[in-house]
């Protein structure tokens, strides 16, 4: 626009840190060789001085002339002419922070632009925006406006991929995107500070966040310092108040700093307002707020706290505002009551601010409140993956809390912490039985809960189903919603293992119905139930429903991402693996394993290493496969209900890796165990793995097992197995098409592969080639490169020589034999000979059939 002269002015509009100055600098640098560059730096300090920013170009004017628009224009004209006299190059005026221009200076620049004396590139913030004289030029079409927006998630991902050598998983992208707000200046500071602090680190080729993104890094501090230098003392103080107290009532800040200052900061988008009664203000970016707080000394912070307290009604504080008031008081060394500390610690835990929850709860000393404070600390430690410390605290506090409404949650958390350390359920059960005596001949809720967990660990479906059914009938009980939610969730998983995922889904939905009263519980009931919902959907073959549940949770639970992202990624990777989208599954499973290595709240790491090992081995990544195999061997105990499938995937992976028959033999042995026989759903999955490995002897077993398993996946597998056994080409092609339409693309590709073999053996070469083409189309849809699959080795492959490929390509384009000969500089007879041999290989009779017979 500037270089080709289509506009005399370009206005670059963007919020603070979005990159408008960087764009302006890049433009001026690019044009420095062909234009004379002049710079104007507007500022809030000169905003009230007419023509103040133009002083460098009006130095020869007298005091009286310096306030005359005509004299200033004449002086600017003279300055430009002298500049042009040197090299004859046109003038480019680069104006930074043009929103601070006084109206008089803006009017002169508008005249300069209109007269064509110079081209102007001006950078400004959209709020408060450009002064009216410059804005009018845009309305009149004499200037072009370019609005720069914050980087979206895809752009952040692109930046990280460019800046970091290795894989950047979605969880890391999300965390950095949310923390930076898409602001390039903060993004740059975050990346440097996080890397230098060791928070952003590369683990096995994956860039992981090992902790919270730092708000006290030197780069971010420099960004804050630079922002403060541009502001007057009133705005600086208001920003400090809001950073220290926020979210804080708007009226409080207006009473202290003035309504005009608040409006100005809102216009500049440095603060945001949350509607409500009262309306609350907060810094636009949480990390930026933290960095501002780090610039305030304790003594100054205490002074500001007293100012706020003088204007603030403490009874109106709630949620994050109440939490921040307690944190601020503690930072200043003030005394806070234990009741207030407990309330704040619970709020911090609810927001997954684990360090804050731990530090606040640790200050509670009133004996009746200490057990709950210990439980809060334990949950925060559990969130951070510090299971040993969490277990020690839970061992101390579970009994005093047995009569509390949080008692079941605390006991469940205690069991989970010990299981994460590899301790069997019996360790906790023995201790509980000593203190939880039955009442009136009935089991206590503690004993009921542990009994349910034991049945679930054994995957004793019938006993678990009977027990839960009895619970439903009597409904009431001392365990309340926690016990019912856990019971239904455990039953949902067991039913899926037993081949009854439709019934399991009903149980999972009943568990979900118990969740509303459990919001904010010390145990992770929502995530536990989510895992069961997704497992049932996957067992049914309802891939889209599983993905919907995962996406819905991720969208509404961003604060818990650092704790549960590894678990969610594993479930997503398992879904992709079940669908046959092996490469995509691998891309998700590798980061999931690394995340679970750091933090494994649902005890999925062992299962995750098995799935990762399987995907790596199947895709031929032997180096990663061997590493993941060792990770699996080194892993502690996981959730017991996953052990059977984990063992199966490890055996299958070992076979893909070694191809020595030992892994397949281990799978065949596993199929005959009592444990596998009792879990028809899991057994069918094991049969599918054997079939994947090229063992057709399991096909009759697949048919038998699939008839007893609920859901679309089992039905699809039964359809494939039946068509496979019948070995009819037409039936196989029709089966493949129906499977593909139903969304089981991986099963469809196997039906096409089998069809190609059957049709080839029947002498129907053209249709066999079509089946191969359809099979490869399925591979493409699954997002995979060509690979050996279940029966791919049995399907005939088409191998054309390089010359045959060249000739066929030109023939498909419509060239005659003579035209092909001329293009390739060979004889017509050579072309005819190659085409004839190609027809034989592809099983076609003419050019018209060539394109449809070629692999896609």
């Amino acid at each position: 626009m500037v270089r080709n002269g289509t506009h005399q002015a370009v206005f670059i509009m963007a919020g603070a840190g979005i990159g408008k100055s960087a764009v302006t600098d890049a433009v001026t640098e690019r044009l420095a060789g062909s234009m004379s560059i002049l710079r104007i730096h507007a500022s809030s300090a000169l905003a009230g001085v007419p023509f103040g920013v133009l002083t460098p170009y009006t130095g020869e004017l007298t005091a009286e002339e310096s306030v005359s628009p005509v004299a200033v224009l004449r002086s600017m004209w003279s300055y430009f002419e002298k500049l042009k006299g040197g090299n004859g190059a046109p003038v480019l005026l680069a104006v930074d922070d043009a929103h601070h221009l006084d109206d008089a200076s803006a009017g002169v620049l508008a005249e300069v632009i209109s007269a064509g004396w110079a081209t102007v590139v001006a950078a400004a913030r959209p709020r408060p925006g450009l002064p009216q004289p410059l804005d009018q030029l845009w309305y009149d079409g004499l200037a072009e406006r370019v609005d720069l927006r914050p980087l979206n998630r895809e752009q952040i991902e692109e930046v990280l991929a460019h800046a970091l050598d290795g894989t950047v998983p979605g969880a890391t992208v999300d965390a950095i995107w949310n923390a930076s707000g898409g602001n390039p200046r903060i993004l740059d500071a975050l990346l440097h500070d996080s890397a230098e602090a060791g928070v952003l680190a590369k683990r096995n080729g994956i860039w992981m966040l090992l902790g919270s993104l730092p708000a006290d890094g030197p780069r971010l501090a420099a960004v804050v310092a630079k922002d403060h230098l541009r502001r007057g003392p009133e705005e600086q103080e208001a920003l400090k108040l809001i950073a220290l107290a926020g979210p804080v009532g708007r009226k409080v800040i207006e009473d202290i700093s003035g309504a005009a200052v608040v409006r100005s900061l809102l216009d500049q988008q440095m603060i945001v307002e949350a509607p409500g009664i009262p309306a609350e203000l907060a810094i636009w970016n949480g990390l930026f707020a933290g960095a501002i707080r780090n610039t305030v000394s304790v003594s100054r912070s205490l002074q500001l706290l007293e100012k706020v307290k003088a204007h603030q009604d403490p009874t109106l504080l709630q949620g994050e505002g109440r939490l921040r008031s307690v944190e601020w008081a503690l930072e200043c060394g003030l005394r806070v009551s234990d009741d207030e500390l407990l309330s704040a610690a619970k709020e911090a835990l609810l927001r997954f601010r684990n360090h804050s929850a731990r530090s606040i709860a640790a200050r509670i000393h009133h004996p009746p409140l200490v057990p709950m404070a210990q439980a809060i600390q334990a949950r925060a430690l559990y969130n951070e993956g510090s299971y040993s410390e969490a277990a020690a605290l839970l061992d101390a506090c579970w009994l005093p809390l047995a009569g509390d409404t949080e008692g079941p949650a605390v006991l469940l958390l205690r069991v989970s912490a010990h299981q994460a350390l590899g301790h069997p359920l019996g360790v906790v059960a023995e201790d509980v039985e000593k203190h939880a005596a039955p009442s009136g001949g009935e089991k206590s809720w503690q004993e009921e809960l542990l009994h349910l967990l034991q049945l679930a660990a054994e995957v004793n479906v019938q006993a678990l189903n009977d027990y839960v059914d009895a619970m439903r009938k009597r409904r009431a009980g001392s365990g309340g919603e926690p016990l019912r939610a856990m019971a239904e969730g455990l039953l949902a998983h067991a039913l899926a293992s037993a081949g009854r995922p439709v019934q399991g889904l009903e149980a999972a939905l009943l568990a979900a119905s118990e969740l509303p009263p459990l919001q904010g519980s010390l145990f992770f009931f929502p995530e536990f139930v989510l895992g069961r919902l997704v497992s049932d959907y996957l067992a049914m073959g309802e891939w889209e429903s599983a993905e919907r549940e995962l996406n819905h949770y991720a969208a509404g639970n961003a604060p818990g991402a650092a704790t549960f992202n590894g678990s969610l990624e594993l479930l997503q990777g398992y879904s992709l693996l079940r669908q046959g989208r092996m490469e995509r599954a691998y891309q998700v499973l590798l980061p999931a394993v690394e995340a679970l290595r750091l933090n494994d709240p649902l005890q999925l790491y062992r299962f995750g290493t098995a799935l990762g090992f399987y995907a790596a081995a199947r895709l031929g990544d032997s180096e990663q496969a061997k590493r993941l195999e060792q990770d699996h061997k080194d892993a502690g105990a996981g959730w017991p209900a996953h052990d059977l499938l984990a063992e199966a995937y490890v055996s299958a992976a070992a076979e893909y890796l070694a191809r020595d028959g030992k892994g397949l033999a281990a799978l065949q042995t596993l199929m005959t165990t009592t444990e596998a026989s009792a879990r028809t759903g899991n057994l069918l999955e094991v049969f599918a793995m054997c079939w994947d490995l090229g063992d057709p002897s399991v096909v009759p077993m697949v048919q038998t097992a699939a008839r007893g398993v609920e859901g679309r996946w089992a039905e699809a597998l039964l359809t494939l197995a039946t068509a496979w056994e019948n070995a009819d080409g037409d039936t196989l092609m029709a089966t493949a098409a129906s499977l593909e339409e139903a969304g089981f693309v991986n099963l469809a590709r196997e039906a096409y592969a089998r069809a190609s073999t059957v049709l080839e053996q029947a002498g129907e070469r053209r249709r066999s080639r079509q089946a191969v083409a359809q099979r490869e189309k399925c591979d493409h849809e699954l997002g995979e490169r060509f690979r050996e699959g279940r029966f791919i080795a049995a399907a005939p492959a088409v191998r054309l020589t390089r010359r045959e490929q060249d000739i066929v390509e030109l023939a498909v384009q419509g060239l005659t034999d003579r035209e092909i000969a001329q293009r390739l500089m060979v004889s017509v007879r050579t072309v005819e000979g190659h085409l004839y041999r190609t027809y034989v290989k592809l099983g076609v009779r003419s050019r018209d059939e060539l394109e449809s017979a070629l692999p896609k």
Side-chain angles (χ1 to χ4, degrees), residues 555-586:
N557 295 273
T563 298
F564 291 101
N565 247 329
S567 303
L568 299 183
E569 286 180 337
L570 178 69
L571 291 171
Q572 183 189 9
Y574 184 38
S575 173
L576 291 166
L577 187 150
R578 292 289 301 272
Q579 295 174 58
R581 302 180 186 276
M582 207 60 59
E583 290 189 2
R584 285 186 57 204
Y586 191 38

Side-chain angles (χ1 to χ4, degrees), residues 402 404-409 412 444-446 448-449 452 471-472 474-488 510-511 513-515 517-518 525:
D404 192 273
T405 54
E406 283 284 6
L412 279 169
S444 67
W445 66 259
Q446 293 99 327
E448 277 200 88
L449 184 55
L452 283 167
M471 285 183 63
R472 291 170 182 166
R474 56 186 167 86
R475 184 63 184 170
S478 57
E481 294 93 353
L483 194 60
R484 290 195 295 270
M486 181 58 60
E488 297 289 0
L510 283 173
S513 71
E514 301 285 357
L515 291 180
L518 299 175
F525 288 104

Side-chain angles (χ1 to χ4, degrees), residues 381-452:
L381 287 163
Y382 191 92
N383 288 347
E384 296 171 333
S386 300
Y387 302 120
S388 180
E389 296 172 69
L393 282 169
L394 291 163
D395 288 344
C397 73
W398 79 270
L399 188 56
L401 293 173
D404 192 273
T405 54
E406 283 284 6
V410 172
L411 181 55
L412 279 169
L413 192 62
R414 184 184 180 212
V415 170
S416 298
H418 278 283
Q419 284 187 329
L421 295 171
H423 301 160
L425 182 61
V427 171
V428 176
E430 288 178 9
D431 188 32
V432 170
E433 287 171 0
K434 293 177 186 176
H435 299 92
S439 175
E442 296 182 357
K443 286 185 177 181
S444 67
W445 66 259
Q446 293 99 327
E447 290 174 308
E448 277 200 88
L449 184 55
L450 291 171
H451 184 60
L452 283 167

